[in-house]
Amino acid sequence: TPESAYALGRALGKQYQKGMQGASRIPNEELRAARRQELERLYRDPAVNRLKEAGQGGMDVPLYGEALLAFYGDRWEAALKSLGEARRQAPWAYEILVLEGDVYLEWALQVQEKGDQTRTEELLNQAAQPLELAANIARSDPAVYEDLARVWIARLELARSRGRPAEMILARVDENLRLAFAADPNRADTYVLRAAALSRWADILHETGREEGPALEQSSEAARRAIALDPANAEAYNLYGRNLWR
């Protein structure tokens, strides 16, 4: 049915988003590209096929489905246009705000890889705005706080590349992860984000001549907790292995 095709497409799409956010943190360019190609084959392409199969029959706000298809195709502006219209149709649907934030975030991550720090900062600021609105509506949804934490982790990397202080940024990551844990203390994804943030913080400490050992151990502990909760979580294993290698 259109409803089941849409549900499957959304589930596959979420796996694709999660995987791509993890892939952006792989330092080796060739490995990063290979992982992205794998994610496109495993999740993105099937998600797009299921959403096209569903058409407009599987969703309450058809423009949201159009935005998803544009998002998965990296057509950022088209996705944002559909989301703007969808928000006018369904101003109560916080999922539209979440997707808007995700579009800006993924766009920022791609721009960040190309070295355009000014544009990256602009896009990250735009990502935070709808996500903060969504968090005010859906206070019990840990995924919204996780998305906000991802924005601040990207800002952490931006501060690192600019050589700027990052303590306040790390505090904002911690704040959003604390809210995510309060909403659901047993989400592997939240522990993965904590591991990622602390791993980046350890990089900053090392590069500025400070002791990174405690941050690395805390990162590894969070990764181990994520693995215990979700033994198939590839990003948790990658983070744990990276910490051990260092």
Side-chain angles (χ1 to χ4, degrees):
T1 65
E3 290 78 11
S4 60
Y6 175 74
L8 180 56
R10 287 292 287 124
L12 290 166
K14 287 180 180 179
Q15 289 298 315
Y16 173 65
Q17 283 180 249
K18 184 169 70 173
M20 288 294 283
Q21 287 158 356
S24 70
R25 292 190 280 270
I26 298 174
N28 182 280
E29 185 175 350
E30 290 185 3
L31 292 176
R32 187 168 61 243
R35 176 58 176 159
R36 283 176 172 162
Q37 289 179 352
E38 180 183 34
L39 291 166
E40 289 170 1
R41 177 179 57 83
L42 289 176
Y43 300 116
R44 188 198 66 181
D45 294 346
V48 168
N49 290 337
R50 297 290 80 74
L51 290 171
K52 287 180 177 178
E53 178 184 333
Q56 296 185 359
M59 60 203 78
D60 294 330
V61 185
L63 285 166
Y64 183 79
E66 292 181 14
L68 283 172
L69 287 170
F71 176 43
Y72 296 149
D74 294 350
R75 294 183 287 113
W76 316 118
E77 292 176 347
L80 292 169
K81 181 180 178 181
S82 293
L83 287 169
E85 295 173 5
R87 199 198 292 192
R88 285 189 287 273
Q89 289 183 3
W92 64 87
Y94 78 91
E95 294 89 348
I96 296 172
L97 292 166
V98 172
L99 183 55
E100 183 179 343
D102 287 345
V103 170
Y104 279 118
L105 175 56
E106 293 302 325
W107 193 355
L109 293 175
Q110 285 201 8
V111 170
Q112 190 172 32
E113 286 186 15
K114 298 174 182 177
D116 188 341
Q117 297 178 349
T118 300
R119 182 60 174 148
T120 298
E121 186 172 27
E122 291 173 354
L123 290 167
L124 289 175
N125 289 339
Q126 289 174 296
Q129 293 171 10
L131 290 171
E132 287 169 354
L133 289 173
N136 287 330
I137 298 170
R139 296 181 183 275
S140 62
D141 187 345
V144 180
Y145 301 116
E146 289 171 352
D147 276 358
L148 278 166
R150 290 185 178 98
V151 172
W152 285 101
I153 290 171
R155 283 175 167 161
L156 192 67
E157 179 61 27
L158 188 61
R160 174 191 176 192
S161 64
R162 289 174 161 176
R164 294 181 179 176
E167 285 80 358
M168 293 299 294
I169 297 174
L170 184 66
R172 294 299 299 271
V173 176
D174 285 342
E175 176 187 352
N176 283 289
L177 292 180
R178 177 183 60 79
L179 291 168
F181 280 126
D184 184 346
N186 294 308
R187 275 176 68 89
D189 289 348
T190 312
Y191 281 100
V192 167
L193 288 171
R194 175 169 169 75
L198 287 166
S199 181
R200 289 297 172 92
W201 178 237
D203 289 337
I204 292 171
L205 293 174
H206 176 76
E207 291 164 4
T208 53
R210 291 176 282 175
E211 173 57 46
E212 78 270 28
L216 274 178
E217 178 51 39
Q218 291 172 12
S219 174
S220 295
E221 175 57 32
R224 287 193 292 267
R225 179 64 175 149
I227 292 167
L229 289 167
D230 179 10
N233 195 303
E235 189 178 358
Y237 285 105
N238 288 337
L239 285 163
Y240 186 59
R242 182 172 183 264
N243 290 344
L244 289 178
W245 178 78
R246 293 167 59 185

